[in-house]
Amino acid sequence: MASPDDRAESISQRHGQLLRRVQNVAAQLREVTDAGPAMFDDGVSGDSQLVWQERIETLGVEGDHAEFEAMLEGVDPGWVVDARELGHRGASSPSRHVVRQHPARANEAQEFYLDMLEVDLWNLERMASLEASRVHRITTGRWTLDRDPIAAAQFADNMTALHTRITVLAAAAQLTAPEGDSLWGSSVEGIRRVHAVTFAAHDDQTLAQQWNGYARADPALAVPPYVPRDPETGNPTDTAMVAPPTPRKMLADATSALRVQVVDTAIRNSASTDLAAESAAITAVVDAALGDDQAWTWEPDHDPAPGQVREISTDRGPEP
């Protein structure tokens, strides 16, 4: 007679197989759609357009059946959607050689501002990924270290200061909306995936050590001293045309990248993972991260119940 652990592992492996099928069909549909009718033009047979359309329709039906079967077997619908998106994007694994598209500038000063912006942006993305990983472990009961609400508040303040700094540098470099999107839009999802993979491999002690490095009480200046300023007011003279995603949005994106990574690992390895519990925990973090963009912390006062969405608020405790 199979033990409960054996049955759980068997179910997990079955879920991984079903998710892999959803991903594979979605990837085939993407490839056929992108290739166009020419992929069926052998120079002999006719109606390549018709064959192409029929193949797309067939793959669409297969995809619907694969997703329906997965959900009938108890796979969380959110994981099914993520597996489909992995296939559509061809994102089965993140590139280790992701390079951010650097806007060109003839003006040396603006080029310098862009260089500094990219350093700060990398740190802000890294902070978001560190926090997403830490909160995920806390929410799922796998964080083995103490939690310091004062450090968490300082970490949040430092992210806000860094966001302001990047916005000021974007203004000084006269960054346009398309250029901003190339720096922090959907095209750099691979960078977020690399952060997620890196921190997933850390033990709690290593993760905490790196997180604490960003929770210091002396953060970088919100306004760099080298940007042009009004001599009377001291305010930056350039007006921002575009701003980076807010810290909450950065955290949400980092959490989504973490979720994609966990799903991808389950698909590729059929790992013994409670997908429903993972989904509920990560979804809670995503929902919380999309709250109001105000001064914020997200450290829980106590261990949340399984699946419970933890409140993120501006409350730092009683007034002294």
Side-chain angles (χ1 to χ4, degrees):
M1 181 175 180
S3 69
D5 289 342
D6 290 338
R7 287 195 295 271
E9 182 173 0
S10 177
I11 292 173
S12 176
Q13 291 174 346
R14 173 61 176 162
H15 286 182
Q17 293 167 0
L18 292 168
L19 286 168
R20 186 184 295 111
R21 183 185 171 207
V22 171
Q23 180 191 17
N24 289 340
V25 174
Q28 292 177 48
L29 179 58
R30 174 184 57 83
E31 291 171 2
V32 172
T33 302
D34 291 347
M39 74 178 301
F40 297 102
D41 188 1
D42 56 9
V44 178
S45 306
D47 295 328
S48 59
Q49 176 77 25
L50 179 61
V51 175
W52 177 67
Q53 290 176 338
E54 288 179 347
R55 181 58 178 158
I56 289 178
E57 291 175 2
T58 299
L59 288 172
V61 172
E62 288 181 11
D64 290 341
H65 286 174
E67 293 180 20
F68 184 64
E69 181 181 5
M71 287 186 282
L72 281 180
E73 292 275 354
V75 178
D76 186 276
W79 292 98
V80 174
V81 171
D82 285 340
R84 182 208 308 151
E85 290 305 310
L86 279 170
H88 281 326
R89 295 196 302 264
S92 58
S93 60
S95 169
R96 293 289 183 176
H97 305 286
V98 178
V99 178
R100 199 186 305 274
Q101 184 176 345
H102 181 85
R105 288 291 185 277
N107 183 298
E108 291 186 5
Q110 291 185 3
E111 182 69 20
F112 173 74
Y113 300 146
L114 282 174
D115 287 341
M116 295 299 98
L117 182 154
E118 290 188 20
V119 171
D120 290 336
L121 181 59
W122 183 83
N123 277 306
L124 186 58
E125 289 172 338
R126 200 164 183 269
M127 291 179 74
S129 188
L130 277 166
E131 181 61 9
S133 297
R134 190 183 72 100
V135 170
H136 175 222
R137 296 185 192 192
I138 291 172
T139 309
T140 54
R142 291 180 289 188
W143 185 249
T144 59
L145 305 176
D146 292 336
R147 305 197 293 274
D148 183 352
I150 296 177
Q154 185 64 60
F155 188 97
D157 287 344
N158 291 354
M159 283 193 75
T160 300
L162 201 53
H163 176 269
T164 301
R165 182 182 177 92
I166 294 169
T167 302
V168 170
L169 287 168
Q174 297 183 15
L175 201 69
T176 65
E179 290 172 338
D181 187 65
S182 73
L183 289 172
W184 50 65
S186 59
S187 63
V188 298
E189 181 179 348
I191 295 177
R192 291 187 283 267
R193 290 283 309 280
V194 170
H195 284 312
V197 171
T198 300
F199 296 136
H202 287 353
D203 59 25
D204 288 356
Q205 191 70 42
T206 303
L207 190 70
Q209 183 178 13
Q210 298 203 23
W211 184 92
N212 286 333
Y214 287 108
R216 60 190 182 278
D218 54 342
L221 295 173
V223 178
Y226 43 77
V227 299
R229 297 168 179 259
D230 184 292
E232 295 184 1
T233 66
N235 295 326
T237 56
D238 295 296
T239 302
M241 295 182 286
V242 62
T246 64
R248 282 187 180 275
K249 182 61 168 61
M250 297 280 285
L251 177 59
D253 288 342
T255 305
S256 296
L258 173 64
R259 176 171 181 160
V260 167
Q261 177 57 30
V262 175
V263 173
D264 184 35
T265 300
I267 290 173
R268 288 186 289 107
N269 301 334
S270 295
S272 179
T273 304
D274 187 344
L275 297 180
E278 291 279 359
S279 179
I282 298 179
T283 298
V285 179
V286 173
D287 290 344
L290 292 176
D292 292 337
D293 283 311
Q294 300 174 1
W296 40 273
T297 62
W298 51 82
E299 179 76 16
D301 292 329
H302 53 79
D303 292 329
Q308 176 181 345
V309 177
R310 296 176 298 102
E311 180 181 0
I312 297 177
S313 72
T314 59
D315 184 9
R316 297 285 175 79
E319 294 292 340

